Amino acid sequence: DAYLSVFPSEWLREFEEGVTPSPLGLTLGILAVIVGQFFTLTYHWCHIHGLFTGDLIPIQKKGPEKHSFWMATAEHLSQPEGFVMLG
């Protein structure tokens, strides 16, 4: 079993009423969110730097709002709403 090479064997038990659930599902879920955020932020960085379509054409007449990618990323990752939804 591939899971046994990564996770402790006591995490691979079936759900039992009255017993604390295994942390395996929570661990895999949080890892999936981290991987998803990495690819989403990488895609966004590539998009705003024109790696897919060249220079971006703004919709607004005054042009796009200026922002720092890293500041916006830090703000996005520091918002706890997504973690509350996971729980």
Side-chain angles (χ1 to χ4, degrees):
D1 197 2
Y3 286 112
L4 290 175
S5 63
V6 179
F7 299 104
S9 60
E10 47 282 347
W11 283 18
L12 299 173
R13 64 180 189 278
E14 295 293 323
F15 175 75
E16 298 173 34
E17 192 69 35
V19 177
T20 304
S22 166
L24 180 62
L26 178 63
T27 303
L28 292 175
I30 290 174
L31 286 174
V33 169
I34 291 169
V35 169
Q37 285 294 309
F38 171 77
F39 283 107
T40 299
L41 292 171
T42 301
Y43 171 82
H44 180 62
W45 185 89
C46 292
H47 181 71
I48 64 174
H49 285 87
L51 295 178
F52 298 127
T53 59
D55 290 336
L56 299 177
I57 301 171
I59 296 173
Q60 302 89 352
K61 290 182 181 179
K62 65 178 182 169
E65 294 288 329
K66 298 291 182 196
H67 74 282
S68 165
F69 173 79
W70 297 111
M71 291 296 290
T73 299
E75 181 182 347
H76 169 72
L77 294 175
S78 68
Q79 295 177 356
E81 293 89 8
F83 293 108
V84 172
M85 289 174 51
L86 286 175

